[in-house]
Amino acid sequence: MSDYHRRTAYAREAMTGHLLDWAHQPDPFKRYRHREVLPLPQPRPPRSGFWDLALAWPPPADGDAPALDAAGFAAIMLMSAGVTARAAGGMGDLGLRAPASAGALYPAELYAAACQVEGLADGLYHFDPETPGLHLLWPGRLAGAAARRLGGPPSRLSFFISAMYWRSLWKYRQRAYRYCLLDVGHLLANLELAVASCGLAPRFSADFPDASLGVFLGLASDDEAALAAVTAGEAPDDAGPEEAGLPPFDLQAQPLSARIGRDAEVLAAHAEGNLAEALPPRVWPAVRPPAGSLQLPEPERPPAGLLEVIRSRRSRRNFLPAAVHEKEVSALLKAALPEPAACQANVLLGPGGDLEPGVYRYAPGLNVLVPLPAPPDDARRGLARAALGQLWVGQAALVLALWADLKGLSQAGGPRAYRHAMLAAGRAGQRLYLAATALGLGCCGVGAFYDDEAARHARLPENGRMLYLLACGPVKGWGVGA
Ligand SMILES: Cc1cc2nc3c(=O)[nH]c(=O)nc-3n(C[C@H](O)[C@H](O)[C@H](O)COP(=O)(O)O)c2cc1C
């Protein structure tokens, strides 16, 4: 699987531009031919604090959490994938959403099988961020059918996140599968936090039988694929059938544009990771920091509500030549990567703070920085040039480089492990954005980079492949830099 990543690497000497086909710009909203949009129930956002949720991660098992009702369900949908701002786009008014998205193309779609949610009919729903509303795709008790595909016990809530390839292919062509996975990871991070803010413990899964789940969600398999799932809530009184008795399906979505593009490389990359059966949850090995590593202090938890943080998160790139301090670094990294993950992280720090500038490896879970041999020049500047010349990256106080030994991962965990690594990078990215927002700092994801050059500047080991970069720090016009 590392082959797809290698084949879609950007190299300085081999870049060819292409014009965007505006006549076939994909619709950012999925529309069904035979389903009305139902109004979203009135949301009741929980009042949870961002830091309490993000730092005490993973949240404890459900315990005595109150049963979720329709208002809580609506809040989860909006916090995960709702429109949070308006901006001018290529075709006019563009709704910017709660998760960041490469090129604001929003390939990710959100579905939920809900069962015994007070005030909401049992069934499989698709979230429409535009209205905002719900498509009831399939009424009935589907907890058993969802659990059959996800491999765990039935739950009252099963969420599914898919990607519609064409939205991303339109701009990024073969590299689109990378962006689809990263984008799904961004939405996943919001979804997990939103679920946790309702007192429920989100259980993540990415190892489900693809064909069977695709049929369950009514996806056109060459155009859309489920990439992540989250279950939550206690077992329903009656989970419904695992297979039998499901009504015939007529879930036809309108095409995203008059002509839909497909890409053999993307389809093959996805197919290579396909599974026929669900796998048990994976455990990722921890980084073992050597002696002399730097223990970061316990982060502070200044008041910041999850909803407000999600709502005010935006990509901010106008970085000031200012530092982030040890306590901020600690909070940012611990919130982004609270536990060992399928991706690794190197951290580039600029001068002026109370930490030595340079490049570090981060040990999630332990909140420890391992200094790496210092480069002769400021690695952030090199990384900015490697980020296709997006020079603001070099000005950011902190750059997070998310990477993985893709070959090693695939040898140990099969080709499906690639999806895990990219989802983990997207999830960490969204969590970094949120933590930066809560601290009054700017943040921006960077998916466009010359892969080998970026790996060199971020001091990745020889087998390390760059997955995703994020620049973070004080910015002009927002928070501490305002
Ligand atoms: C995977 C990913 C890659 C991105 N890459 C870049 C990039 O290379 N350069 C950039 O300026 N912004 C990049 N962004 C930021 C998006 O442009 C931004 O999220 C989008 O325009 C929506 O705006 P918002 O984040 O303010 O909601 C990226 C975002 C994501 C999620």
Side-chain angles (χ1 to χ4, degrees):
M1 173 42 76
S2 49
D3 270 10
Y4 166 76
H5 207 77
R6 186 179 49 74
R7 280 201 295 274
T8 55
Y10 286 158
R12 192 179 281 278
E13 61 290 349
M15 292 298 281
T16 52
H18 82 285
L19 295 175
L20 293 177
D21 178 3
W22 289 104
H24 298 101
Q25 187 189 17
D27 188 343
F29 300 106
K30 188 173 183 187
R31 299 167 205 279
Y32 288 89
R33 287 194 203 281
H34 307 291
R35 295 292 184 280
E36 307 260 296
V37 186
L38 309 172
L40 194 70
Q42 191 61 34
R44 185 186 4 82
R47 295 179 193 278
S48 325
F50 167 74
W51 294 111
D52 291 341
L53 287 168
L55 297 177
W57 199 266
D62 297 347
D64 52 2
L68 194 75
D69 62 7
F73 179 83
I76 291 177
M77 295 313 232
L78 287 169
M79 285 197 278
S80 302
V83 171
T84 50
R86 299 264 156 212
M91 298 268 279
D93 185 32
L94 176 71
L96 297 178
R97 307 204 196 160
S101 168
L105 297 169
Y106 303 106
E109 296 286 337
L110 178 59
Y111 303 81
C115 176
Q116 285 184 272
V117 174
E118 200 195 316
L120 192 74
D122 288 354
L124 176 66
Y125 292 89
H126 167 260
F127 175 58
D128 170 38
E130 186 181 29
T131 313
L134 297 169
H135 294 110
L136 175 56
L137 301 182
W138 192 348
R141 275 276 149 112
L142 297 169
R148 165 79 188 83
R149 280 142 187 101
L150 297 179
S155 317
R156 293 190 183 200
L157 290 156
S158 305
F159 298 92
F160 305 92
I161 313 171
S162 74
M164 299 192 83
Y165 299 137
W166 173 230
R167 293 204 189 110
S168 199
L169 275 173
W170 178 70
K171 181 168 183 188
Y172 298 116
R173 302 191 290 175
Q174 293 188 343
R175 204 167 154 108
Y177 192 53
R178 294 184 179 209
Y179 291 104
C180 286
L181 286 162
L182 292 172
D183 261 42
V184 168
H186 273 266
L187 198 158
L188 170 67
N190 274 13
L191 172 63
E192 289 173 324
L193 286 163
V195 165
S197 74
C198 295
L200 301 170
R203 296 180 292 273
F204 162 72
S205 163
D207 290 324
F208 33 71
D210 298 83
S212 156
L213 184 57
V215 170
F216 178 66
L217 297 173
L219 311 184
S221 61
D222 281 354
D223 299 322
E224 182 177 3
L227 295 171
V230 168
T231 54
E234 57 191 34
D237 303 337
D238 164 16
E242 282 193 357
E243 296 294 351
L246 297 174
F249 230 15
D250 61 347
L251 281 185
Q252 258 193 340
Q254 284 184 26
L256 298 181
S257 58
R259 186 186 61 76
I260 299 289
R262 298 203 171 108
D263 184 87
E265 184 85 58
V266 165
L267 291 175
H270 181 71
E272 198 185 335
N274 278 353
L275 294 172
E277 285 297 331
L279 300 180
R282 302 190 189 221
V283 179
W284 304 104
V287 176
R288 290 210 190 89
S293 301
L294 193 76
Q295 178 67 59
L296 289 168
E298 194 47 39
E300 285 164 4
R301 301 181 181 202
L306 176 66
L307 178 68
E308 290 68 35
V309 171
I310 285 181
R311 269 201 192 135
S312 48
R313 182 214 61 80
R314 293 267 75 82
S315 292
R316 299 181 170 92
R317 305 170 180 84
N318 43 352
F319 293 104
L320 293 163
V324 276
H325 296 283
E326 200 178 27
K327 283 224 154 143
E328 292 167 316
V329 173
S330 171
L332 289 167
L333 297 178
K334 193 168 179 186
L337 283 156
E339 56 183 339
C343 69
Q344 309 296 322
N346 283 12
V347 183
L348 286 73
L349 292 178
D354 40 16
L355 290 170
E356 221 20 66
V359 186
Y360 298 83
R361 172 100 187 260
Y362 182 61
L366 301 172
N367 206 20
V368 161
L369 284 175
V370 183
L372 297 176
D377 52 0
D378 187 340
R380 296 172 309 154
R381 311 269 177 212
L383 209 47
R385 289 191 298 276
L388 270 50
Q390 302 187 73
L391 294 181
W392 44 267
V393 174
Q395 184 97 324
L398 180 154
V399 182
L400 186 64
L402 297 164
W403 60 274
D405 168 5
L406 292 177
K407 210 168 182 183
L409 268 187
S410 160
Q411 276 162 2
R416 185 71 158 224
Y418 180 67
R419 296 193 203 171
H420 282 272
M422 293 297 279
L423 291 171
R427 174 202 269 143
Q430 179 71 11
R431 293 177 64 111
L432 184 76
Y433 261 105
L434 295 176
T437 308
L439 290 175
L441 301 171
C443 185
C444 188
V446 180
F449 43 78
Y450 303 121
D451 290 58
D452 290 348
E453 227 178 285
R456 222 173 33 250
H457 289 293
R459 293 288 186 269
L460 305 196
E462 199 175 320
N463 291 337
R465 297 287 167 265
M466 188 67 82
L467 309 179
Y468 189 24
L469 292 168
L470 292 115
C472 180
V475 282
K476 207 170 160 198
W478 162 252
V480 286

